[in-house]
């Protein structure tokens, strides 16, 4: 029985969700899940335009970030691409960012 409980405790994930409001306006919604090897979340934001973003951080055994990726979906139909992907690879004291041509930082 103790072995089963220990096994279950290692399988548990940390997770949470947030709602950001200004008065009665909901500005954004976010949810995330963290395991021993990855942090993954997504959020929807309304301002300055409606976007859906998914972020993923792949973790090293010590909990530091090995790779980070952000995928942005333009759900508001505004100007710009419908989807963009940006990633950063970390190694020692170096970070290499892959930022496709035509992507505008926001």
């Amino acid at each position: 029985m103790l072995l089963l409980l220990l096994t279950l405790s290692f399988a548990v994930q940390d997770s949470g969700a947030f709602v950001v409001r200004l008065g009665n306006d909901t500005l954004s919604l976010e949810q995330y899940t963290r395991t021993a090897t990855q942090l993954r979340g997504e959020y929807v934001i309304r301002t300055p335009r409606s976007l859906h973003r998914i972020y993923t951080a792949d973790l090293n055994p010590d909990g530091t970030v090995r790779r980070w990726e952000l995928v942005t979906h333009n759900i508001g139909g505004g100007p710009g691409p419908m989807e963009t992907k940006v990633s950063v690879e970390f190694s020692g004291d170096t970070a290499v960012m892959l930022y496709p041509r035509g992507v505008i930082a926001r």
Side-chain angles (χ1 to χ4, degrees), residues 12-90:
V12 172
Q13 300 177 351
D14 290 329
S15 62
F18 305 96
V19 177
V20 178
R21 296 179 59 153
L22 180 61
N24 289 328
D25 271 346
T26 300
L27 301 180
S28 68
L29 303 169
E30 180 175 358
Q31 66 179 11
Y32 71 91
T33 302
R34 185 184 192 278
T35 65
T37 59
Q38 190 176 74
L39 169 67
R40 185 178 189 287
E42 60 184 302
Y43 64 95
V44 175
I45 189 165
R46 290 183 40 204
T47 58
R49 59 188 174 141
S50 296
L51 300 172
H52 173 234
R53 289 186 167 151
I54 302 167
Y55 57 88
T56 306
D58 295 326
L59 306 174
N60 292 312
D62 66 357
T64 58
V65 177
R66 179 177 49 82
R67 182 176 187 280
W68 177 82
E69 179 182 75
L70 178 67
V71 178
T72 302
H73 298 105
N74 180 353
I75 60 174
M82 292 306 290
E83 180 180 278
T84 58
K85 290 183 183 181
V86 177
S87 64
V88 182
E89 299 271 347
F90 299 95

